[in-house]
Amino acid sequence: MSESEGPTRRVGRPRTAVLSHERILEAAFELADANGPEFSLASLARRLGVQPSALHHYFPTKAALIAAMRGQITLRLGTHGFDEQPWYEAILPWARASIEAFGRHPGLIAALATLPIDGEPESIADYERIVAALERDGYPSDLIVPALVALESFIIGSALDGLTPPDNLRPVHEPERSPALLRTEAAARAAASAAGITPAQRTFEFGLRALVAGLRAVGDAGAEPRTTDADAPASRGISG
Amino acid sequence: MSESEGPTRRVGRPRTAVLSHERILEAAFELADANGPEFSLASLARRLGVQPSALHHYFPTKAALIAAMRGQITLRLGTHGFDEQPWYEAILPWARASIEAFGRHPGLIAALATLPIDGEPESIADYERIVAALERDGYPSDLIVPALVALESFIIGSALDGLTPPDNLRPVHEPERSPALLRTEAAARAAASAAGITPAQRTFEFGLRALVAGLRAVGDAGAEPRTTDADAPASRGISG
DNA sequence: ACCTGAACACCGTTCAAGT
DNA sequence: ACCTGAACACCGTTCAAGT
């Protein structure tokens, strides 16, 4: 959109500002859409026709810019009717919109995943809506945030999985050494093809339903003191 | 371990080789263990007392080195008794060992996740063992690989989640605007603290059990032609 | 206040040259 | 074959200087 291939602006403050938070964010999304994991401030500056250092006047660090992008993405997710439907219904379109949004910006997924939420009003508001629905539906209080985070972890991991080639798990080098993998990978790829979607998309939809069903089962049994405790086994496996 | 802070080796082929695949991998794991997402060939070369370009003699690219590290990590995961136990039992310690391994190398998680499996014999062998167990237990053939990939996506996403601060979802800036999140996040953190684990660890264990339970439910209903089809809804949500 | 331009401390990778 | 050293094309960030 904004081409401006550098009429070599001279030094000093321009008469009218060339940049703004909005213009930078817009160009940043264009750059992130042009797929490939190459998202750098330098290439963003090139696209905007400015020097890289000019960007730091609006966003102090690269992480701050990405945090702002995350806020925009969250805004566009929409509400998905958590107020009208039970959480396990409304969460499905929310999850689909989330991975779709992540998939549109391949170069950002890893960065978005590790970014602290911190003071991000949009993400906080999004979480608040979902958490409130779980509370309203009687989900066990101390398992609401874990359920939400587990779901988001699955979404993030699936988004990264979507970056791998469609036949990523196909044993091409020594197929005779992994016959079961060869068989089942072909079956899964054929099923995805028949459905007109990628294997990664089919995997996501399948895993999403399984995870939500599992989370729901625990929540329904949530009135009693919880025999399906989530705490016990961790002491025998996971460390720091 | 290997200090060798550069007695300034002179040019030309050394009388006895200074590097080897094993020495490089060992140092690479030491570097990845020293937490922080800074894993570079330059810092690895510094640790080994060589020039960065020397590394390319053993691993053509950084991605090739990380692929080799992934192979080592997979080897150390162990077998976890998929031959003796049903898949939904053996998969639990396998998943715990996986996230523990990822958690030990924070700087590698994102790179490991996006790496194509390609010709990685160790990972292929690991998958083959798991897939074979699912087949043996009668899991629907075209859902075996999706089940495995969904689980691994959850593990990868959870590993990334483990990098965020423990109170990542706590609304500190405007707590009055998100009361439900404030309540439930505190409840979850308190429960984790009482169990002597981090919130991320408790979330992982909880989500793992929910996901496996959900995957198992679909598999048990797998004899019939599948009314719980994974294909239909994708046509109304997920795109390229 | 808002930009340029130089500078700093990094990256991964290639390749000629030396032994 | 196995390393050094120089070179190339990048990074993010800081900061003085100009308007």
Side-chain angles (χ1 to χ4, degrees):
Chain A
M1 210 56 88
S2 50
E3 267 310 317
S4 70
E5 57 158 270
T8 56
R9 208 175 357 263
R10 76 174 191 279
V11 297
R13 179 187 188 183
R15 293 173 53 258
T16 105
V18 144
L19 296 177
S20 68
H21 293 270
E22 291 73 21
R23 275 187 57 77
I24 292 173
L25 279 174
E26 186 186 358
F29 276 113
E30 287 174 19
L31 182 61
D33 287 12
N35 52 358
E38 63 275 2
F39 180 81
S40 67
L41 294 186
S43 56
L44 177 58
R46 248 175 267 131
R47 180 177 281 259
L48 284 163
V50 298
Q51 298 296 319
S53 52
L55 299 173
H56 291 90
H57 204 268
Y58 293 86
F59 298 97
T61 63
K62 185 182 184 180
L65 170 61
I66 293 179
M69 295 178 76
R70 189 190 167 110
Q72 288 292 311
I73 290 173
T74 304
L75 264 185
R76 297 176 196 167
L77 282 186
T79 55
H80 292 296
F82 278 98
D83 292 342
E84 304 98 37
Q85 293 179 313
W87 72 268
Y88 50 84
E89 293 288 345
I91 204 89
L92 296 177
W94 175 85
R96 289 175 193 131
S98 295
I99 197 172
E100 195 176 2
F102 287 143
R104 262 197 294 267
H105 316 296
L108 290 179
I109 300 176
L112 290 173
T114 51
L115 215 64
I117 299 298
D118 205 30
E120 247 197 276
E122 297 90 351
S123 296
I124 296 288
D126 192 45
Y127 290 141
E128 172 70 11
R129 198 183 315 115
I130 300 172
V131 162
L134 280 152
E135 255 191 338
R136 174 204 62 199
D137 295 345
Y139 207 82
S141 184
D142 62 329
L143 290 176
I144 289 178
V145 164
L148 177 56
V149 172
L151 190 55
E152 197 159 76
S153 294
F154 170 70
I155 293 170
I156 288 284
S158 298
L160 288 173
D161 178 58
L163 299 183
T164 62
D167 58 347
N168 191 30
L169 251 56
R170 183 173 206 180
V172 285
H173 288 265
E174 297 178 296
E176 70 283 355
R177 294 192 57 176
S178 40
L181 185 58
L182 186 68
R183 259 195 309 274
T184 53
E185 193 276 340
R189 198 146 34 85
S193 178
I197 54 178
T198 69
Q201 287 167 347
R202 183 165 176 268
T203 293
F204 174 72
E205 189 64 32
F206 173 61
L208 172 62
R209 286 164 171 259
L211 181 53
V212 170
L215 292 173
R216 190 181 168 187
V218 175
D220 286 346
E224 45 195 312
R226 207 159 80 246
T227 47
T228 65
D229 62 326
D231 312 334
S235 56
R236 55 172 277 258
I238 312 175
S239 69
Chain B
M1 206 59 87
S2 49
E3 268 310 320
S4 68
E5 59 155 270
T8 57
R9 208 173 359 262
R10 76 175 190 279
V11 297
R13 180 185 186 183
R15 292 171 56 257
T16 104
V18 143
L19 295 177
S20 69
H21 294 269
E22 291 73 21
R23 273 187 58 77
I24 293 174
L25 280 173
E26 186 187 359
F29 276 114
E30 288 174 17
L31 182 62
D33 288 13
N35 52 358
E38 63 276 359
F39 180 80
S40 68
L41 293 186
S43 56
L44 177 57
R46 249 176 265 129
R47 179 178 282 258
L48 284 163
V50 298
Q51 296 297 319
S53 53
L55 298 173
H56 291 88
H57 205 268
Y58 294 87
F59 297 97
T61 63
K62 186 182 184 180
L65 170 61
I66 292 178
M69 295 178 75
R70 190 192 165 108
Q72 288 291 311
I73 290 173
T74 305
L75 264 185
R76 297 177 197 167
L77 283 185
T79 56
H80 293 296
F82 277 97
D83 292 342
E84 304 100 38
Q85 293 179 314
W87 72 268
Y88 50 84
E89 293 287 346
I91 204 88
L92 297 176
W94 176 85
R96 289 175 192 131
S98 294
I99 197 173
E100 195 176 2
F102 287 143
R104 262 197 294 267
H105 315 297
L108 290 179
I109 300 175
L112 289 173
T114 50
L115 214 64
I117 299 298
D118 205 32
E120 247 196 277
E122 298 89 351
S123 296
I124 295 289
D126 192 45
Y127 290 141
E128 171 70 10
R129 198 182 315 116
I130 300 173
V131 162
L134 280 152
E135 255 192 337
R136 175 204 60 201
D137 295 344
Y139 207 82
S141 184
D142 63 328
L143 290 176
I144 290 178
V145 164
L148 176 55
V149 172
L151 190 56
E152 197 158 78
S153 293
F154 169 69
I155 293 171
I156 289 284
S158 298
L160 288 172
D161 178 59
L163 299 184
T164 61
D167 59 346
N168 191 30
L169 250 57
R170 182 172 205 180
V172 286
H173 289 265
E174 297 178 296
E176 70 282 356
R177 295 193 55 176
S178 41
L181 185 57
L182 186 68
R183 259 196 308 273
T184 53
E185 193 276 339
R189 199 147 32 84
S193 177
I197 53 179
T198 68
Q201 286 166 348
R202 182 166 175 268
T203 292
F204 174 72
E205 188 65 31
F206 174 61
L208 172 62
R209 286 163 171 259
L211 180 53
V212 170
L215 293 173
R216 191 181 167 188
V218 175
D220 285 347
E224 45 196 311
R226 207 156 82 245
T227 47
T228 65
D229 65 325
D231 311 333
S235 56
R236 56 172 277 257
I238 312 175
S239 70

